[in-house]
Amino acid sequence: MQNQINKIIPAVRMMLSADSLKTVKFFAEGELYEPVKSIESLVVDNSDHVLTELSEKIKSAGKKIEAITIKGFGTLLVADYPKGNGRVEQRIAIVTGGAQGFGAGIVEHLMQNGANVVVADLNAEKGQEFVDELNATKRNNKALFVKTNVADAASVENLIAETVKEFGGLDLFISNAGILRAGSLDEMTPETFELMTKVNYSAYFICAKYASKVLKVQNQWKPDHFTDIIQINSKSGLKGSNKNFAYAGGKFGGIGLTQSFALELMPYRIKVNSVCPGNFFDGPLWADPETGLFVQYLRAGKVPGAKTIDDVKRFYEAQVPAGRGCTPLDVMRAVYYIIEQEYETGQAVPVTGGQNMLN
Ligand SMILES: NC(=O)c1ccc[n+]([C@@H]2O[C@H](COP(=O)([O-])OP(=O)(O)OC[C@H]3O[C@@H](n4cnc5c(N)ncnc54)[C@H](O)[C@@H]3O)[C@@H](O)[C@H]2O)c1
């Protein structure tokens, strides 16, 4: 069933999106109380030729189609809400690790700019609460939470299928989930190294593998439509990080994956890029009052002479030519550049306030 969902629904969405992007919600057979009787609906049998048949019928329909029933499969309801002025209107986006930190900031910006967004995170409580808050604001676009472990292939496959069932396809996959456990060679255990590599490196492969299947189907049915896979990397993916090699190594590897996926996927108009932010000092990783890096560094006496969290923060800010930490808006500006730029792929875009400069 998952195979059919990922093949049929994104194809139909693209057939219906000739002029502007549509979203399509799927109901498996029996899930709708009544069969759709609208005059703008199409009914076809599920056969090997179902897509060719539908393509011909949609082209010759000469009217706006609101529902399609495929016997033995289910019904697709077409949503065509009024287009606003956002930069990602009616696009469908997944943000992994979207429940907090950079991911949550990216989700908010995408929602404000008209996208339908799936928050994919291990933290179900925080993720669902965030999505409920987003959906409480009256708007046409919608957020969905799908509990996901990006390091688990079956979980990511499920994420993609749930996205396709709810919205009809995918235009933007943001691989943002990441973890940080610093440590010297003496401190780092093989188990922690393995976990970091799984979440920060291997998971990016798993996400790209399943996301690209749907993006390829869409390209087949609407060859002029560009889509994106964007990995949130780090400045530590561009320069080594002292006693933080497990993180830096995974992030360096991520750029190798980005460049290689980009070569493989550009023929399908799927662009693959990384964004390499500097430190997000106001995010939970640094600023959490109990577990954040500022409080840890203060307790450990890592910054000579520092007496307060603010002293530690100022010490790190002073290392950035721009004099401040990175914010989700800074990251979003790079994300928009990547989405809107059709003539670039395989890049690692630094957003570091001048802290890292490319050769
Ligand atoms: N915070 C920074 O200073 C900074 C700087 C540069 C790059 N980054 C990168 O930005 C990304 C986000 O970082 P952040 O600081 O916002 O992180 P964060 O710790 O604030 O949030 C990460 C989110 O990912 C989720 N997550 C963790 N493991 C997961 C898994 N296996 N599957 C699904 N979800 C999972 C967590 O539940 C959490 O909601 C990471 O890739 C990180 O490497 C962060």
Side-chain angles (χ1 to χ4, degrees):
M1 187 71 171
Q2 233 171 38
N3 241 350
Q4 275 212 318
I5 285 171
N6 288 346
K7 259 195 169 148
I8 295 177
I9 304 172
V12 174
R13 170 175 176 247
M14 287 295 114
M15 290 174 203
L16 296 164
S17 296
D19 304 323
S20 65
L21 287 177
K22 307 279 187 292
T23 53
V24 169
K25 189 168 164 67
F26 175 69
F27 295 88
E29 211 164 46
E31 261 179 28
L32 273 179
Y33 287 123
E34 288 177 36
V36 177
K37 290 197 199 94
S38 137
I39 47 160
E40 284 87 13
S41 72
L42 288 177
V43 180
V44 293
D45 288 323
N46 191 7
S47 70
D48 290 349
H49 317 291
V50 65
L51 289 179
T52 327
E53 194 187 336
L54 269 175
S55 165
E56 282 162 11
K57 285 200 167 172
I58 288 169
K59 270 191 209 135
S60 62
K63 61 186 175 191
K64 221 164 100 179
I65 292 161
E66 292 172 341
I68 294 174
T69 298
I70 302 171
K71 287 186 203 158
F73 180 59
T75 295
L76 293 97
L77 297 186
V78 184
D80 186 10
Y81 54 80
K83 203 169 187 280
N85 298 321
R87 291 173 85 168
V88 281
E89 282 295 330
Q90 313 218 358
R91 283 181 182 257
I92 299 159
I94 294 176
V95 182
T96 69
Q100 69 165 42
F102 269 140
I106 293 169
V107 170
E108 274 174 350
H109 281 284
L110 291 172
M111 287 292 292
Q112 282 157 11
N113 277 276
N116 294 288
V117 186
V118 180
V119 174
D121 206 290
L122 259 185
N123 188 335
E125 205 184 320
K126 213 167 196 165
Q128 189 59 58
E129 198 181 310
F130 180 41
V131 159
D132 291 344
E133 251 171 55
L134 291 167
N135 287 333
T137 308
K138 201 175 164 350
R139 39 159 77 100
N140 291 318
N141 53 333
K142 196 182 154 190
L144 173 77
F145 175 72
V146 180
K147 186 175 180 186
T148 309
N149 178 2
V150 290
D152 179 73
S155 178
V156 174
E157 250 191 305
N158 174 64
L159 163 68
I160 301 294
E162 289 303 315
T163 304
V164 168
K165 283 199 273 183
E166 183 66 31
F167 296 123
L170 179 65
D171 304 301
L172 169 63
F173 190 101
I174 301 198
S175 176
N176 164 80
I179 54 171
L180 191 147
R181 310 268 195 280
S184 65
L185 281 164
D186 286 339
E187 291 156 347
M188 179 66 60
T189 63
E191 292 74 21
T192 303
F193 184 86
E194 205 49 45
L195 174 71
M196 299 267 296
T197 306
K198 256 185 149 175
V199 178
N200 293 342
Y201 176 70
S202 312
Y204 178 30
F205 147 68
I206 293 173
C207 289
K209 179 177 171 69
Y210 293 105
S212 63
K213 278 186 201 290
V214 169
L215 303 181
K216 280 185 193 167
V217 169
Q218 291 180 166
N219 174 258
Q220 194 187 337
W221 293 93
K222 190 170 164 59
D224 62 347
H225 183 51
F226 280 89
T227 54
D228 288 274
I229 296 174
I230 300 177
Q231 184 218 18
I232 304 302
N233 199 288
S234 168
K235 69 179 169 56
S236 303
L238 301 170
K239 194 174 168 205
S241 186
N242 190 18
K243 297 182 183 169
N244 195 18
F245 55 83
Y247 183 72
K251 292 293 188 184
F252 266 69
I255 292 178
L257 295 182
T258 289
Q259 293 187 3
S260 309
F261 296 155
L263 292 171
E264 185 175 331
L265 296 174
M266 196 52 171
Y268 305 95
R269 296 206 169 169
I270 305 166
K271 293 171 285 144
V272 188
N273 291 283
S274 293
V275 174
C276 301
N279 295 325
F280 179 16
F281 294 138
D282 294 328
L285 180 78
W286 285 85
D288 188 286
E290 268 135 47
T291 58
L293 293 175
F294 287 135
V295 78
Q296 284 186 43
Y297 292 168
L298 179 67
R299 283 185 198 135
K302 197 169 159 170
V303 176
K307 293 194 174 58
T308 63
I309 284 179
D310 276 349
D311 293 340
V312 183
K313 190 177 181 196
R314 268 193 294 276
F315 173 83
Y316 281 94
E317 281 173 344
Q319 294 173 20
V320 186
R324 64 167 176 84
C326 187
T327 67
L329 178 61
D330 297 320
V331 171
M332 274 316 291
R333 289 187 172 126
V335 168
Y336 286 133
Y337 165 73
I338 289 169
I339 297 172
E340 288 164 6
Q341 175 58 275
E342 293 179 350
Y343 192 61
E344 199 55 273
T345 191
Q347 299 301 341
V349 182
V351 186
T352 66
Q355 208 174 356
N356 279 54
M357 298 182 188
L358 297 179
N359 297 321

